[in-house]
Amino acid sequence: QQTVGKAAVGGPFQLVDTSGKKFTDKDLLGEFALLYFGFTFCPDICPDELEKIAAMVDEVEKGSGVKIQPVFISVDPERDTPQKVKEYCAEFHPRLLGLTGDVESVKKASKAYR
């Protein structure tokens, strides 16, 4: 098997979950995860995409038995408090993990997963 290169997507991050506990990229090791970057005040695109993600996660798990961890990372940490992210994520999927953090941490994660 021939490879051409390695995708330069991803990297370490340190954010907080919806209970305010530290959460890093290492907390996702050993499982499949699908990361989505958005914000809770997004009127159209984010809700539509999160509904698609929720349906896809359920469909893949049902068809393959493979568990996928959906993750929502806020790119608007100044408005998206952990509580607001928690309430927002609950609207889409029971296991949608919401993350936020300070501006610099969110910027670093966003850039790594561009």
Side-chain angles (χ1 to χ4, degrees), residues 45-95:
I45 302 298
C46 298
D48 288 347
E49 296 306 310
L50 287 169
E51 286 177 1
K52 291 175 192 173
I53 288 169
M56 182 278 309
V57 165
D58 291 341
E59 185 75 20
V60 168
E61 289 179 354
K62 180 181 172 187
S64 69
V66 175
K67 183 181 172 200
I68 299 172
Q69 175 60 62
V71 180
F72 171 81
I73 299 177
S74 170
V75 295
D76 187 6
E78 293 174 331
R79 289 196 292 182
D80 289 346
T81 64
Q83 183 60 37
K84 175 137 327 253
V85 171
K86 180 179 184 175
E87 293 166 5
Y88 186 73
C89 288
E91 296 179 28
F92 299 101
H93 196 276
R95 286 196 343 269

Side-chain angles (χ1 to χ4, degrees), residues 88-108:
Y88 186 73
C89 288
E91 296 179 28
F92 299 101
H93 196 276
R95 286 196 343 269
L96 180 58
L97 173 66
L99 302 175
T100 188
D102 62 68
V103 172
E104 221 25 66
S105 297
V106 169
K107 185 186 283 187
K108 184 177 178 184

